[in-house]
Amino acid sequence: MTQSPKDPLHGVTLEAILTELVAKLGWDGLAARIDIRCFKSDPSIKSSLTFLRKTPWAREKVETLYIQQQKKR
């Protein structure tokens, strides 16, 4: 039997993803990797979460960056 790879996002909230990325990269580093205004202009977790929950393409970019950062561990 072959097992499918585990989903690295399983059980991880968007808030936890964003908080970890900000802690690791800072807002400037996050804005440099993902060109989203909410990361550049007066960034906060709350405003970024609001935007990311309403914008699937942006959320996907953040989740992809998170997965890439997890692989670097």
Side-chain angles (χ1 to χ4, degrees):
M1 289 179 142
T2 59
Q3 291 182 336
S4 61
K6 263 183 117 176
D7 179 7
L9 299 175
H10 181 75
V12 183
T13 65
L14 183 57
E15 184 174 6
I17 290 170
L18 188 58
T19 301
E20 185 171 329
L21 287 173
V22 170
K24 198 178 270 189
L25 306 171
W27 288 110
D28 291 335
L30 200 51
R33 289 167 176 81
I34 303 173
D35 189 21
I36 300 176
R37 189 179 331 142
C38 68
F39 294 160
K40 295 178 178 184
S41 177
D42 195 26
S44 73
I45 296 289
K46 184 177 178 181
S47 66
S48 296
L49 285 173
T50 301
F51 176 76
L52 293 171
R53 287 180 179 135
K54 294 179 182 178
T55 317
W57 64 264
R59 181 180 182 143
E60 186 177 323
K61 287 185 178 216
V62 169
E63 290 172 345
T64 300
L65 178 61
Y66 174 78
I67 292 168
Q68 291 170 348
Q69 294 295 315
Q70 293 300 306
K71 289 179 181 178
K72 289 182 179 181
R73 284 183 162 187

